[in-house]
Amino acid sequence: MIGRARQFITAAILTLGLAGEAAAIDLNDWNSVVAEAKGQTVYFNAWGGAENINAYIRWAGDEMKARYGVTVVHVKLDDTAKAVATVVAEKSAGKDHDGAVDLVWINGENFAAMKREGLLFSPDWATKLPNWIYVDHETKPTVLTDFTIVTEGLESPWGGAKLVFFYDSARTPTSELPNSAADLLKWAEANPGRFSYPQPPDFTGSSFLKQVLTELIHDKTKLQMPVDEATFAADAAPLFAYLDKLTRLLWREGKAYPQNYPDMKQKFADGELDIIFAFNPAEASAAIANGELPGSVRSFVFSGGTLGNTHFVAIPYNASAKAGALLFANFLLSPEAQLHKQDPKIWGDPTVLSLAKLPAAERQAFEALDLGVATLGPDQLGPALAEPHPDWMTRIEAEWTRRYGAAN
């Protein structure tokens, strides 16, 4: 539970499963983790909507098999909430061992729900992984706080995220680019039908709603706390007043929406949309490198800031292959895996590691990495706006569906 006292252990001894099981693992003896994991199959539940990410996961799984004898099966999801629902159902049925989910790609409201319901392997394991020593938890506070929820070592950081917009410089003049949500509305008025966003509760679409809410809400401190139902209508009024004006200006007049980010990206490539966005600063460069977008595509952000967060992997309390999941989580944190992931020709997902903590050879490899022609440098990304408390995403998604859902 979020409010319950944190459990402490001595000598970093973590029990594999519930108290009373015979098998245990000592994270001070990593060789024992490796030995326990050999021969296990890790069912990794992760979004499967982008082929470059799927390819990266296949690469990581191949490495796990070759190095450690661990098989990784990518269970492709279109919504992480489905993995959460699986664990909820298993707990309700009393299936406290041999669960179907061994590792899950997660953050935000899904992590909050699993933590609240006691569905995560605990206590603190993430900060005891051998590769944690390289994690930048000093200047990247979101590796320790997930959408305002303290992680307490219940999930291991995998990558960084920052909301970035894209345009094709061959057809949209740089001078016309919007610099805020308010500017975007004016741009849409001048360019009707040329902007849209994935239909919530798709994560990318919901993130656009949060970006607008964060910019327009009168008291931003409220976003760092759970929703107050007594004041929600007034607090969210600027967002929905904005969307009332924007919806008729969207692609297909808001009567239909892109299904997800890949669908939105394809519409951009096909010339149906002029501005799109993603939660990865290197996404445009990766798409150019993969031949999905033309070389004239470039990135931009709002000078007042865009949302930033970290995405993680977590182990359910009843996972069947906890040792294998721990080993895989540690591999995903390795400088080698993080470097491969940050390459825009592979994925382009930003690292969670501190370059200053890396050995010289690995640090130089990161510094030499070509992030791509459309990738903004760290000094060009602008401020990172804090993610709202998970309650806000759940609440505004429901209200959005009531007001603007495609069926309406």
Side-chain angles (χ1 to χ4, degrees):
M1 307 292 285
I2 290 177
R4 71 183 176 188
R6 181 179 177 180
Q7 302 176 50
F8 289 91
I9 56 175
T10 59
I13 303 292
L14 299 182
T15 301
L16 283 176
L18 302 176
E21 288 189 57
I25 190 164
D26 180 358
L27 287 185
N28 286 329
D29 179 9
W30 191 248
N31 287 335
S32 69
V33 180
V34 176
E36 180 72 22
K38 188 173 183 179
Q40 290 187 344
T41 296
V42 175
Y43 288 90
F44 181 34
N45 284 236
W47 182 65
E51 182 50 38
N52 62 329
I53 299 175
N54 295 343
Y56 176 82
I57 293 173
R58 283 196 299 272
W59 169 83
D62 290 343
E63 293 297 313
M64 289 293 295
K65 185 68 172 180
R67 300 180 187 202
Y68 306 111
V70 173
T71 299
V72 175
V73 176
H74 180 191
V75 180
K76 297 176 183 177
L77 305 176
D78 58 7
D79 188 341
T80 304
K82 292 181 178 179
V84 179
T86 296
V87 183
V88 168
E90 289 175 342
K91 185 174 184 180
S92 297
K95 190 173 184 179
D96 294 326
H97 316 286
D98 302 322
V101 181
D102 293 307
L103 193 69
V104 58
W105 184 11
I106 197 168
N107 72 356
E109 78 276 19
N110 290 308
F111 171 70
M114 293 194 77
K115 185 179 182 186
R116 181 176 63 248
E117 300 301 325
L119 301 177
L120 294 169
F121 176 46
S122 63
D124 180 354
W125 58 267
T127 64
K128 297 177 176 65
L129 296 175
N131 285 324
W132 177 264
I133 62 172
Y134 302 123
V135 173
D136 184 2
H137 54 84
E138 295 86 0
T139 69
K140 293 184 173 75
T142 57
V143 305
L144 298 175
T145 304
D146 185 351
F147 288 48
T148 78
I149 305 299
V150 179
T151 62
E152 297 185 281
L154 296 172
E155 56 181 356
S156 176
W158 189 15
K162 181 78 159 55
L163 190 66
V164 175
F165 294 86
F166 310 133
Y167 70 105
D168 189 339
S169 61
R171 64 178 191 247
T172 302
T174 303
S175 60
E176 296 181 4
L177 297 177
N179 192 37
S180 66
D183 280 355
L184 179 60
L185 179 59
K186 294 177 183 177
W187 183 91
E189 290 172 343
N191 301 273
R194 307 303 297 172
F195 178 76
S196 190
Y197 54 91
Q199 180 169 334
D202 173 82
F203 176 80
T204 304
S206 296
S207 295
F208 174 71
L209 303 186
K210 291 187 294 177
Q211 173 70 33
V212 176
L213 177 65
T214 300
E215 289 192 51
L216 300 183
I217 192 170
H218 298 307
D219 183 358
K220 291 178 172 51
T221 63
K222 288 191 172 185
L223 296 178
Q224 299 305 300
M225 300 177 285
V227 170
D228 182 346
E229 286 297 335
T231 63
F232 173 76
D235 294 336
L239 167 65
F240 293 112
Y242 178 98
L243 293 176
D244 284 345
K245 296 176 182 177
L246 179 65
T247 300
R248 62 182 174 81
L249 303 170
L250 296 174
W251 175 76
R252 295 193 178 178
E253 299 179 327
K255 296 175 182 176
Y257 291 83
Q259 179 181 1
N260 48 34
Y261 171 73
D263 186 24
M264 181 171 65
K265 178 172 62 175
Q266 187 59 55
K267 288 175 171 52
F268 178 60
D270 292 342
E272 295 186 65
L273 300 174
D274 286 336
I275 292 178
I276 64 169
F277 55 95
F279 240 121
N280 181 349
E283 172 60 30
S285 292
I288 292 170
N290 294 332
E292 298 172 306
L293 294 178
S296 51
V297 170
R298 295 293 183 269
S299 306
F300 72 98
V301 292
F302 297 160
S303 62
T306 55
L307 293 175
N309 64 50
T310 296
H311 55 91
F312 302 80
V313 294
I315 304 172
Y317 83 102
N318 65 341
S320 298
K322 291 189 177 76
L326 287 165
L327 192 59
F328 190 35
N330 188 63
F331 175 73
L332 294 176
L333 269 183
S334 68
E336 177 187 358
Q338 289 278 308
L339 177 66
H340 194 64
K341 180 170 64 71
Q342 187 162 310
D343 186 340
K345 295 188 294 294
I346 305 301
W347 178 355
D349 190 55
T351 185
V352 293
L353 305 184
S354 167
L355 301 193
K357 294 181 179 180
L358 298 180
E362 283 83 356
R363 181 172 64 251
Q364 290 167 7
F366 271 97
E367 292 171 345
L369 188 63
D370 182 0
L371 297 181
V373 66
T375 304
L376 298 174
D379 59 337
Q380 299 173 303
L381 283 172
L385 302 180
E387 285 277 2
H389 186 282
D391 267 9
W392 286 93
M393 178 178 272
T394 302
R395 192 63 181 83
I396 64 177
E397 285 174 345
E399 185 63 16
W400 185 93
T401 299
R402 188 183 73 80
R403 290 171 178 253
Y404 313 109
N408 296 329

